[in-house]
Amino acid sequence: MARENWTSSIGFILASAGSAIGLGNIWKFPYMAGTNGGGTFVFVYLLCVFLIGLPVMCSEMLIGRVTRRNVINALGKIELISSSTFGRNILCFLAGAAMVLFASIHAWLLAGASLIGAVAFARKGFAAVGWVCAILSFAILSYYAVVGGWIVEYIWRSLTATFTDIEGVTAIEVAKQSTAEFGAYTANPWRVLIGFAIFMALTGAVILGGIQAGIERVSKILMPALFVLLLVVIVRSVTLPGAWEGVVFLLKPTAAAFSPKVIMMALGQAFFSLSLGMAITVTYGSYLKRDQSILHAAGWVGILDTLAALLAGLAIFPAVFSVGLDPSAGPGLIFGALPATFATMPLGAIWATAFFFMLLIAAVTSSASLLECTATVLIERMRKHHKRCTRRCAVWIAFITCSLAGLLSVFSTADWTYLPCVEKGVRWCLGSLTQGNWFDTLDNLCSNWGLPFTALIIALLIGWVYGTRRAKINLLSSDASKNPPKWLLTAWGISVKWIAPVAILIVFLTMSGLLKL
Ligand code: TRP
């Protein structure tokens, strides 16, 4: 079967931006900034995006374009290693996964795990990392869809004007009440389950529509609309009384708030927001034509994604400070701040509905990219082993397994009440990595350990094994007029070879306690 190609460069950029811009920008970025020191986090985040995230993104697109395969096959293929067997892949995958897990649980195991990892990589290791990526995208979708479900719920609430229809009540009271309501809502998993199911169904529906028809068309229309709506909310938010404090909190770094943990959180958030950790961008890159410049495409995606995150921050924090919410409230932050903002706008219910609707679409384009990745891996894997697996069947398998895995997050977004046995198991396996409930633990594991780990491997692979010289040629477009200036290429080379690997390693070593700064 011939693989489809992106019809145009702009289509590719928009689809990649559609994958990148989602709940990570509008829900996660503000709450991460709030819990990690505001301006300091934002400053470190920007450094992470431009010094590490974008170069890694280029590398991923490159791997996709050079190999024209899904992530597992691509990594095994990139002119490093000869033919492979399925069993060996699985072995190496286990070694790789063990490396990710154990390295972070008990610091003293890091050395041993790295040794196993090193041996695994020497024999087919990169394909093994491909499996880690595929599993990461699967795991991320399982909790991402829960947050997507919250958005579905909030569309319903704004349609029925639950939080905007409040004559004579001040924004401060609305904020307090919405925060309490959000807590009550997430404590009731049956209600959360409804939103989750709707969100998963939407994601499945987009993917069954096919790459170009589904993702490209949807993101072309609705992404600009989301930006416009964000601007509207910002205007309201910064004109609330006492809003300026929030702007200062978001944009002014302070030395006191700085810590190695901030770097780790910012790095993880950068990879999460840019959809890195290779699964997605490799798959997308594999559809990219030779005459398109990767540096250009990645640059645009990075700028749009960062802009969306900063705009979301500007929409949330002025309101947070104006109504006296706690900026470090965690995952529920925007569900306290946004209703309060909308409640003080004329026609608030309409704005709120439109906003949550756009956010839902942005979230679906992101979750679709996650499901797409899992499905693509399934299809190509099955085909390799001569089994008949149509695209439709692969999407169904991915969809059903992921929905089941997501139930764990659905039933533990508030606490472990519904899953006491799982709690015991998770605490036993993960030790100090267990953060609150399953939802938070999985998020921490995937974004702060898993994604940087795969990014590290990608950087090492391109920078040291494949080689930046060969890579630089392939990064360019076959059409010379579309190429970026030389210094950008040089900077890219330095980053994948030195800056990205060293930074990620230092973060890992510090966070696992092996290195004291
Ligand atoms: N980047 C998306 C967001 O910000 C989430 C996402 C989509 C993602 N695909 C990914 C995160 C792949 C990590 C890896 O909402």
Side-chain angles (χ1 to χ4, degrees):
M1 191 178 82
R3 289 173 70 99
E4 300 165 87
N5 269 318
W6 296 100
T7 45
S8 62
S9 191
I10 195 86
F12 173 77
I13 292 172
L14 284 180
S16 305
S19 158
I21 298 174
L23 297 169
N25 308 61
I26 287 149
W27 157 74
K28 201 173 171 202
F29 177 81
Y31 101 70
M32 291 296 281
T35 44
N36 290 291
T40 313
F41 176 88
V42 175
F43 179 72
V44 179
Y45 175 79
L46 291 178
L47 286 182
C48 289
V49 166
F50 289 100
L51 290 183
I52 302 174
L54 285 187
V56 170
M57 178 183 272
C58 293
S59 312
E60 294 192 6
M61 291 180 177
L62 179 81
I63 293 177
R65 174 149 90 180
V66 170
T67 59
R68 307 189 63 75
R69 278 178 176 76
N70 74 68
V71 54
I72 290 180
N73 295 347
L75 288 178
K77 253 285 161 348
I78 184 151
E79 294 180 42
L80 298 168
I81 316 149
S82 52
S83 66
S84 72
T85 64
F86 187 52
R88 256 209 212 156
N89 276 343
I90 294 277
L91 245 175
C92 296
F93 158 58
L94 288 178
M99 203 170 144
V100 178
L101 291 180
F102 288 118
S104 42
I105 307 161
H106 305 296
W108 55 270
L109 272 175
L110 182 70
S114 321
L115 202 70
I116 302 176
V119 175
F121 292 141
R123 326 172 56 193
K124 293 287 148 290
F126 287 109
V129 180
W131 279 102
V132 177
C133 305
I135 292 201
L136 275 176
S137 62
F138 176 85
I140 291 178
L141 179 56
S142 82
Y143 69 86
Y144 197 85
V146 175
V147 186
W150 297 348
I151 305 297
V152 173
E153 167 80 19
Y154 273 74
I155 293 181
W156 173 248
R157 289 192 184 189
S158 22
L159 273 175
T160 53
T162 321
F163 53 72
T164 44
D165 197 11
I166 36 134
E167 291 284 301
V169 181
T170 63
I172 298 177
E173 287 165 78
V174 182
K176 268 207 199 98
Q177 199 182 326
S178 330
T179 309
E181 274 174 10
F182 177 77
Y185 161 59
T186 48
N188 172 9
W190 301 106
R191 180 92 197 175
V192 177
L193 187 60
I194 301 175
F196 171 79
I198 296 177
F199 187 84
M200 278 306 290
L202 281 173
T203 307
V206 168
I207 284 302
L208 280 168
I211 286 236
Q212 279 160 327
I215 306 177
E216 209 167 319
R217 198 182 317 143
V218 171
S219 43
K220 254 183 199 166
I221 310 166
L222 288 162
M223 295 240 315
L226 180 65
F227 276 88
V228 173
L229 261 169
L230 267 176
L231 287 175
V232 172
V233 179
I234 290 176
V235 169
R236 172 67 278 202
S237 179
V238 295
T239 48
L240 288 170
W244 192 244
E245 226 180 299
V247 179
V248 174
F249 174 81
L250 182 72
L251 298 180
K252 189 161 173 244
T254 49
F258 187 80
S259 74
K261 183 161 171 255
V262 170
I263 306 185
M264 178 185 229
M265 295 297 152
L267 196 63
Q269 171 62 18
F271 289 134
F272 185 91
S273 189
L274 292 170
S275 296
L276 297 181
M278 59 188 140
I280 282 69
T281 314
V282 171
T283 313
Y284 277 23
S286 72
Y287 297 98
L288 194 58
K289 279 195 234 152
R290 270 298 330 188
D291 68 345
Q292 292 162 1
S293 155
I294 288 181
L295 284 175
H296 257 107
W300 271 109
V301 176
I303 288 170
L304 287 175
D305 186 70
T306 308
L307 196 62
L310 290 177
L311 290 180
L314 277 176
I316 303 294
F317 281 105
V320 165
F321 278 80
S322 167
V323 298
L325 287 173
D326 173 13
S328 59
L333 184 67
I334 70 165
F335 299 99
L338 282 174
T341 314
F342 288 124
T344 57
M345 287 167 79
L347 301 177
I350 296 175
W351 289 114
T353 312
F355 182 85
F356 284 116
F357 179 73
M358 297 298 158
L359 184 52
L360 178 71
I361 301 300
V364 169
T365 54
S366 301
S367 62
S369 77
L370 289 161
L371 186 63
E372 168 76 29
C373 170
T374 313
T376 315
V377 169
L378 271 182
I379 298 172
E380 306 222 352
R381 207 65 248 179
M382 302 283 227
R383 195 179 293 152
K384 186 156 177 204
H385 293 278
H386 313 293
K387 297 204 184 67
R388 262 196 69 230
C389 180
T390 58
R391 186 185 158 80
R392 187 166 287 271
C393 137
V395 173
W396 273 109
I397 297 178
F399 171 77
I400 292 172
T401 47
C402 199
S403 305
L404 291 177
L407 290 181
L408 281 175
S409 299
V410 169
F411 281 85
S412 89
T413 38
D415 52 37
W416 290 100
T417 316
Y418 292 84
L419 302 167
C421 297
V422 179
E423 177 182 11
K424 261 192 211 133
V426 169
R427 283 197 194 283
W428 187 79
C429 291
L430 297 181
S432 61
L433 266 193
T434 317
Q435 289 203 336
N437 49 39
W438 171 251
F439 176 88
D440 293 327
T441 303
L442 195 60
D443 185 27
N444 177 41
L445 220 55
C446 291
S447 358
N448 301 331
W449 295 94
L451 297 180
F453 171 78
T454 51
L456 170 68
I457 300 296
I458 279 290
L460 291 176
L461 174 66
I462 293 294
W464 294 93
V465 185
Y466 186 72
T468 44
R469 191 169 310 156
R470 245 191 307 181
K472 278 180 191 165
I473 301 169
N474 283 307
L475 271 181
L476 297 173
S477 155
S478 57
D479 175 356
S481 64
K482 288 186 186 163
N483 285 334
K486 254 219 161 75
W487 65 266
L488 252 180
L489 270 182
T490 315
W492 172 81
I494 298 174
S495 174
V496 280
K497 233 175 152 160
W498 299 105
I499 304 178
V502 171
I504 297 172
L505 270 177
I506 290 182
V507 164
F508 276 173
L509 290 176
T510 333
M511 292 314 288
S512 55
L514 285 180
L515 183 76
K516 299 235 178 334
L517 284 185

